[in-house]
Amino acid sequence: MTLLSSITKLATAAAIVGGAALFSGQALAQDLKFFTIGTGGTAYTYYPVGGMIANAISNPPGSRACDAGGSCGVPGLIASAVSSRGSVDNVNAINSGLRNSGFAQSDVAYWAFSGTGTMEGKEPMKDLRSIAALFPEHIHLIAKADSGINSVADLKGKRVSLDEPGSGTYTDANLILAAYGLSTSDITAEALKGSAAAEALRNGKVDAFFVVAGFPTGAVVELASAEDIKIVPITGPEAESLVEKYGFFASSDIPSGAYQGVDATTTLTVGAQWITSAKEDDELIYNITKAMWNDKTRKLLDVGHSKGKTITLESATDGLGVPLHPGAERFYKEAGLIK
């Protein structure tokens, strides 16, 4: 064999190997699917729960098989939890195609879908669809223990953070103020989020702040460990009128011990829901929903966050603010949850 023929054969073999590697890389790239989940501020409940769910439904190429102790997510899927300004921001991002999915309060999702309530006058977001109802979110109204703020009515003339305008907290805080005969003109309104609101209360920059989140929520846990605080009850005829007027509100307690030194307090709740778009592929959402309710995902939810235990298949279709996505609906029919 001549030197020239040997070089030619080596070059040909290298080209074949290189081509195969290139083809393999292209196939790998084609197999990958990225899926975003809009959550909320990093100090609130949506973000860590979103991270758990993203981990549960992901199954990148090369992962160990589910029955071998590996991922039980959707093959080729890489999901990521994205911090956001909250419910309103998430439904807007889903509607515009900026995000594949996101978490939203049931009230915000309903108003966005129907173009009513706080979304009145805006184009209804008719492509919004549900994947699952997740957990109840309690409306926290936080003040210092010695503040003298014992009811929503006591907020008049006070400095109060309502969270950012793109959040569900902001929406509900305004509804609650109105029910008690107040508006933003009766308070000094601030738009602080999470840890920033807690720090402002601690430093005397605000007198109270609203948070809508599953308990215990990180920002309030940290604040309670450093400062004597109270959760102001949201009760009485005003709260009852909100429950009667808006079906997505309910009355519930934040139990004693949820936050250090804070007694059990009655307040209002809304439901946290996982929302996507009707434009998302039916098969993909079916597989995502199936992965979400895999037995191994159940174990992950139970140990990953205190709110995870309240996320159950049995309540996955309760109180949905918008219709189910066809892919999710198919799974729930197979699971016997809906007819």
Side-chain angles (χ1 to χ4, degrees):
M1 184 182 294
T2 65
L3 178 61
L4 179 60
S5 63
S6 297
I7 292 173
T8 300
K9 287 184 177 181
L10 285 171
T12 302
I16 292 170
V17 171
L22 178 61
F23 176 80
S24 176
Q26 289 173 338
L28 181 63
Q30 289 170 351
D31 288 343
L32 280 178
K33 171 71 177 176
F34 296 93
F35 192 84
T36 51
I37 305 172
T39 59
T42 56
Y44 289 166
T45 309
Y46 276 8
Y47 186 72
V49 170
M52 284 195 307
I53 292 176
N55 186 34
I57 67 174
S58 295
N59 189 346
S63 299
R64 280 191 300 165
C66 177
D67 56 9
S71 171
C72 298
V74 182
L77 186 71
I78 298 177
S80 59
V82 181
S83 177
S84 77
R85 289 184 295 167
S87 294
V88 176
D89 185 30
N90 289 338
V91 294
N92 284 331
I94 293 165
N95 190 58
S96 68
L98 180 63
R99 296 187 194 117
N100 302 107
S101 72
F103 297 162
Q105 295 167 201
S106 53
D107 51 348
V108 172
Y110 172 77
W111 285 330
F113 177 77
S114 61
T116 60
T118 57
M119 301 287 190
E120 191 167 358
K122 297 182 180 180
E123 188 73 22
M125 301 182 191
K126 290 297 186 183
D127 280 339
L128 293 181
R129 295 292 183 272
S130 298
I131 297 176
L134 298 176
F135 54 83
E137 296 188 90
H138 285 70
I139 299 175
H140 300 58
L141 175 53
I142 307 297
K144 288 187 177 181
D146 60 359
S147 65
I149 300 173
N150 298 310
S151 73
V152 176
D154 293 332
L155 295 177
K156 187 172 184 178
K158 299 294 196 295
R159 298 161 298 174
V160 185
S161 176
L162 308 178
D163 207 316
E164 296 174 344
S167 69
T169 297
Y170 181 86
T171 301
D172 287 339
N174 277 276
L175 286 175
I176 290 166
L177 289 174
Y180 286 82
L182 301 176
S183 70
T184 52
S185 62
D186 295 308
I187 63 173
T188 300
E190 302 289 348
L192 303 174
K193 198 164 195 69
S195 297
E199 190 64 22
L201 182 73
R202 187 177 179 185
N203 294 331
K205 301 289 182 64
V206 298
D207 299 302
F209 67 93
F210 283 91
V211 177
V212 180
F215 67 79
T217 187
V220 181
V221 169
E222 292 179 14
L223 177 63
S225 68
E227 192 78 37
D228 291 334
I229 64 168
K230 66 171 66 173
I231 301 173
V232 180
I234 303 175
T235 56
E238 299 88 353
E240 291 170 8
S241 71
L242 285 170
V243 173
E244 185 176 345
K245 185 175 181 180
Y246 302 108
F248 42 75
F249 278 132
S251 181
S252 179
D253 287 353
I254 297 175
S256 176
Y259 302 104
Q260 183 176 323
V262 180
D263 293 334
T265 309
T266 303
T267 184
L268 296 177
T269 65
V270 293
Q273 301 181 351
W274 188 9
I275 307 297
T276 188
S277 170
K279 296 175 182 176
E280 293 292 333
D281 180 71
D282 289 5
E283 191 68 17
L284 174 64
I285 299 300
Y286 168 79
N287 286 323
I288 283 174
T289 310
K290 187 176 181 179
M292 169 70 183
W293 300 116
N294 183 282
D295 287 344
K296 290 197 174 181
T297 303
R298 172 77 271 147
K299 295 176 183 176
L300 183 66
L301 293 172
D302 286 344
V303 302
H305 189 276
S306 58
K307 219 53 184 173
K309 292 181 180 179
T310 68
I311 301 174
T312 67
L313 175 60
E314 290 72 25
S315 61
T317 60
D318 292 349
L320 296 174
V322 300
L324 280 167
H325 188 284
E329 183 177 21
R330 175 185 155 199
F331 172 81
Y332 293 127
K333 284 181 177 178
E334 291 177 358
L337 263 69
I338 55 177
K339 294 181 179 180

